[in-house]
Amino acid sequence: MAALLLPALGGCAPAQRDSPDSAVRAGTTFTWAVLGDVPEGVGQLRQLPDVIDRLSAAPGVRMAFHLGGIKGLRPCSDGYYRQVREAFDRSRVPLAYTFGGEEWLECGRSENGGFDPQDRLAALRHTFVPRPGYTLGRPVPVASQAGTGFPENLVLVRPPVTFAAFHTVEAELDAVPGHSPRPLPSLVAEEARRSEAAVRLIREGFRSAASMQSAAVVLLTHADLFPPGEPDTATVRAYRPVVRAIAAGARGFRGEVYLFTADRRSHVTDAPLARGSHWPDAYDVAPLDTFTRVTVDGGAGATSYLSVTARRHARPVVSWTRVRIPGQAAAAAAAAAAGP
């Protein structure tokens, strides 16, 4: 698999630079798998190695993305992180993992072990990004923001798609007024830096897509930027810079734009910035008809992952199917019965 790498992101040089030629630019088809918000509960943790084996060996799948949410309510221990990392390492294809909030920001709660959240974030990076600039699973080089402290954020090109994966957390967990426990100044500063890094990454993704003549941009993150119901203050405040960066990039890009997220924990496909939606006004952006949001199954009820394919000359460019995971329904039922 040819690795198309991009200019350094945030001061971090890519592990390798290949000169893209016209044959690689013209790549017509690429298939990948997406999952998130698993494992939750002991049953799903035990089954995770089999899930990774199955999706990474599925016909045609050439990459996998995990969109964060690997823990549920349980202690945020180094040992638990290692168990999940060992499952990810089984992947036969490159696997990229971007963090959610439950695996570090929620770790200060007593039921999660009462850890310092920033210590747990450092532990996540140590465990899951041991070689910044490379994926997990079968390692391939990517362009990352390791140089500015966000090695989990990455951009890579797999024609006909440019991928950009960036770190977000659930709005209610972030450093917002009224959050309990009261946010520490250090967490407020971390949130600002994380948002700024995501904006830079999104912009770089669109620039790279234009230069590589990609047919689609695929953005991947944990948080649901467009949750159910009317827009609320916490959501809009937390995600406005990111959504406005997406909207600006999409308006200047000739292809299609997709956002894959996990935080809703059920499969949803919609166009949240299209005309008639309340989200363009909430985020103060012009309506967009070329932007599609897709969420994956997750949590105790997760029974599938998404198999996604991009075809340069298809309309739409990107399509997907839900792939049932044998035995996952039983694990989901057990997790639901057991509770958090």
Side-chain angles (χ1 to χ4, degrees):
M1 185 192 312
L4 297 190
L5 297 178
L6 313 168
L9 300 182
C12 176
Q16 176 184 332
R17 292 284 297 278
D18 293 343
S19 298
D21 57 29
S22 59
V24 177
R25 286 177 185 266
T28 58
T29 304
F30 189 79
T31 296
W32 65 97
V34 185
L35 73 164
D37 262 328
V38 290
E40 183 168 302
V42 174
Q44 288 186 352
L45 178 62
R46 289 173 179 166
Q47 196 180 23
L48 185 62
D50 182 63
V51 172
I52 298 299
D53 287 348
R54 287 178 179 275
L55 70 84
S56 67
V61 169
R62 298 167 64 190
M63 187 152 186
F65 292 91
H66 191 293
L67 304 183
I70 61 169
K71 192 183 63 61
L73 293 177
R74 61 184 299 144
C76 305
S77 66
D78 290 347
Y80 182 82
Y81 293 162
R82 285 194 296 270
Q83 282 183 278
V84 177
R85 166 65 197 277
E86 288 168 4
F88 286 175
D89 282 343
R90 299 171 66 93
S91 179
R92 303 181 190 181
V93 298
L95 186 151
Y97 158 55
T98 186
F99 308 155
E102 69 180 38
E103 48 258 67
W104 71 274
L105 195 53
E106 282 192 285
C107 294
R109 296 179 177 178
S110 59
E111 61 267 32
N112 290 331
F115 292 94
D116 173 13
Q118 290 190 309
D119 173 78
R120 293 298 82 196
L121 179 55
L124 274 180
R125 288 172 173 151
H126 176 75
T127 302
F128 291 98
V129 201
R131 296 179 67 197
Y134 285 88
T135 64
L136 297 172
R138 185 166 69 81
V140 298
V142 297
S144 84
Q145 288 184 314
T148 54
F150 294 87
E152 65 274 19
N153 288 357
L154 61 91
V155 173
L156 73 158
V157 178
R158 291 293 183 269
V161 179
T162 292
F163 295 97
F166 55 95
H167 180 180
T168 58
V169 304
E170 303 86 328
E172 68 271 17
L173 297 182
D174 223 330
V176 297
H179 177 59
S180 180
R182 191 170 183 176
L184 300 173
S186 59
L187 290 179
V188 175
E190 187 282 333
E191 183 209 4
R193 291 193 302 271
R194 175 163 32 86
S195 181
E196 291 167 2
V199 168
R200 290 195 303 271
L201 188 93
I202 291 163
R203 290 172 177 166
E204 180 59 38
F206 279 105
R207 284 193 294 268
S208 299
S211 68
M212 296 303 300
Q213 301 173 18
S214 295
V217 169
V218 171
L219 307 169
L220 306 109
T221 197
H222 176 76
D224 185 358
L225 311 186
F226 309 97
E230 294 295 318
D232 63 84
T233 301
T235 296
V236 173
R237 190 206 65 84
Y239 303 139
R240 180 186 284 118
V242 170
V243 173
R244 298 190 73 176
I246 293 171
R251 280 195 298 272
F253 179 60
R254 298 181 62 182
E256 299 169 5
V257 181
Y258 296 83
L259 173 68
F260 285 80
T261 68
D263 188 31
R264 186 171 289 196
R265 298 190 167 207
S266 60
H267 178 61
V268 175
T269 301
D270 62 5
L273 293 179
R275 290 171 178 82
S277 168
H278 49 228
W279 288 108
D281 285 343
Y283 284 123
D284 193 23
V285 299
L288 279 170
D289 295 324
T290 59
F291 173 73
T292 302
R293 183 268 300 271
V294 184
T295 64
V296 300
D297 279 344
T303 58
S304 67
Y305 67 89
L306 295 182
S307 178
V308 191
T309 298
R311 298 178 177 86
R312 180 175 292 278
H313 301 297
R315 291 295 178 271
V317 172
V318 176
S319 60
W320 51 89
T321 59
R322 295 172 71 185
V323 180
R324 302 286 289 185
I325 303 170
Q328 190 79 342

